[in-house]
Amino acid sequence: MNKQAWALALMVVVAACQRESVLYCQMNPSAAECVGSIDAPRACASNDECSGGTPVCDTAGSMTCVQCLPEQAQACSGTTPTCGDDQSCRGCAAHTECAISNACLPDGACAAEGEVAYVGGPGATDNETCTMLVPCTKAMKALARGRPYVLFAGTTDEGSAVVVIEDQNVILLAKPGAKLTRTFDGIILEIKGTSQVTIYDLEISGGAGTTGTGVVLQLGGAPTVSLLRATIAGNSGGGVLAYGGSLKVSQSTISDNRRGGVYVREALFDLTNNFIVHNGNQTTSPFGGVHLSAAPGKRVAFRRAA
């Protein structure tokens, strides 16, 4: 390398070292190489002096423009509605981070209150509206509202009724510890027809009698059902029975179901990263953890995601 090339390389290294990171400009906002930089925080005395991606002035701290402050979280929206500790907007991680609807969606957005039917928890009554302030006591009444989301809280006991979802697309959400159960013999949750149902974080357990099954996908339609971080446990019948349609189970626990954990017959299925343990009974169960019978022409397989 000739002297001219060496000199040019040295100039590039020196220039790079003058501003090693965003931190440099935060500590030296008036430095020549930081003035006008995207990374450089803008000094301010009020929100009127802030705009663009940093519309809020941190008047109680750094006196610079930031994305948001906890007391001015309205600057955050969409799939990043929550103001984090670093004064940047992020997706919600819990239902409690959505002040208006109390419903955090899987993509990090907060649902609009009018999109959610609420069931169970404190203040629940036998009503038809299923609002956040006055939730329903029964899942079927919440589903009858026809809203895209149903949020469960506490324990919801359907008693003698089967929860039936037929030709309906809905996402079931759950607060920590929420459970759907049934004290009478029979299926707890039955999904039929063309329904597309996704269940997050909900426990479906305690099905009584010899046929007290957690979730059933019925034959005769093409229901699509996904269980994510769900718990199907303690049912006197089976855990999940898929007689048709499509079943996806991921990051879920299926345990202590007396007549077997997962039964699939001629349905498409994807079982990924689950705990399927302690299912079946030596005297009454036709199988233990999993019984798989692939749809014609389909491959039988488990998957473990990296």
Side-chain angles (χ1 to χ4, degrees):
M1 183 180 293
N2 58 38
K3 292 183 179 180
Q4 187 175 10
W6 271 110
L8 179 59
L10 182 60
M11 290 174 61
V12 170
V13 171
V14 170
C17 291
Q18 286 180 333
R19 179 174 170 271
E20 296 177 352
S21 65
V22 175
L23 182 62
Y24 174 82
C25 283
Q26 290 177 342
M27 299 299 294
N28 303 275
S30 61
E33 61 270 30
C34 292
V35 175
S37 168
I38 295 176
D39 296 332
R42 287 177 292 166
C44 62
S46 71
N47 288 355
D48 294 337
E49 299 175 27
C50 299
S51 61
T54 53
V56 177
C57 184
D58 181 15
T59 55
S62 64
M63 299 300 292
T64 60
C65 297
V66 296
Q67 277 194 338
C68 62
L69 294 171
E71 64 274 16
Q72 296 187 52
Q74 68 274 12
C76 301
S77 61
T79 56
T80 56
T82 304
C83 188
D85 294 337
D86 60 353
Q87 300 176 337
S88 296
C89 297
R90 61 169 175 81
C92 61
H95 296 302
T96 53
E97 292 184 336
C98 296
I100 296 177
S101 68
N102 204 21
C104 176
L105 301 181
D107 65 356
C110 290
E113 185 179 352
E115 296 179 323
V116 184
Y118 300 82
V119 58
T125 64
D126 187 17
N127 71 87
E128 305 292 335
T129 58
C130 307
T131 62
M132 183 171 66
L133 293 179
V134 188
C136 302
T137 56
K138 301 296 183 184
M140 282 304 297
K141 289 191 174 182
L143 288 164
R145 302 303 299 166
R147 295 172 182 165
Y149 309 104
V150 173
L151 177 61
F152 287 82
T155 297
T156 300
D157 187 345
E158 291 296 304
S160 61
V162 180
V163 178
V164 180
I165 303 177
E166 184 170 8
D167 300 327
Q168 182 177 357
N169 299 340
V170 64
I171 294 176
L172 307 184
L173 306 169
K175 292 186 176 181
K179 178 171 71 173
L180 176 64
T181 189
R182 184 183 177 193
T183 53
F184 284 70
D185 192 0
I187 299 167
I188 297 177
L189 176 60
E190 183 178 18
I191 304 170
K192 306 166 65 175
T194 60
S195 299
Q196 296 183 31
V197 180
T198 304
I199 302 171
Y200 288 92
D201 304 307
L202 181 64
E203 177 181 340
I204 301 175
S205 65
T210 57
T211 60
T213 304
V215 181
V216 175
L217 284 67
Q218 289 291 13
L219 191 63
T224 300
V225 178
S226 296
L227 302 172
L228 289 94
R229 302 187 303 273
T231 298
I232 314 296
N235 295 292
S236 61
V240 181
L241 308 182
Y243 296 117
S246 177
L247 172 67
K248 178 179 180 180
V249 185
S250 179
Q251 302 175 56
S252 296
T253 298
I254 300 173
S255 65
D256 300 297
N257 299 288
R258 184 175 297 177
R259 292 182 62 82
V262 180
Y263 178 89
V264 178
R265 187 185 74 189
E266 298 188 2
L268 302 177
F269 65 90
D270 184 339
L271 306 178
T272 306
N273 288 5
N274 303 290
F275 287 102
I276 304 176
V277 296
H278 298 156
N279 296 284
N281 179 284
Q282 288 184 344
T283 59
T284 62
S285 177
F287 67 100
V290 180
H291 176 95
L292 304 175
S293 177
K298 302 300 181 182
R299 180 170 59 91
V300 176
F302 282 95
R303 292 198 307 125
R304 181 179 67 84

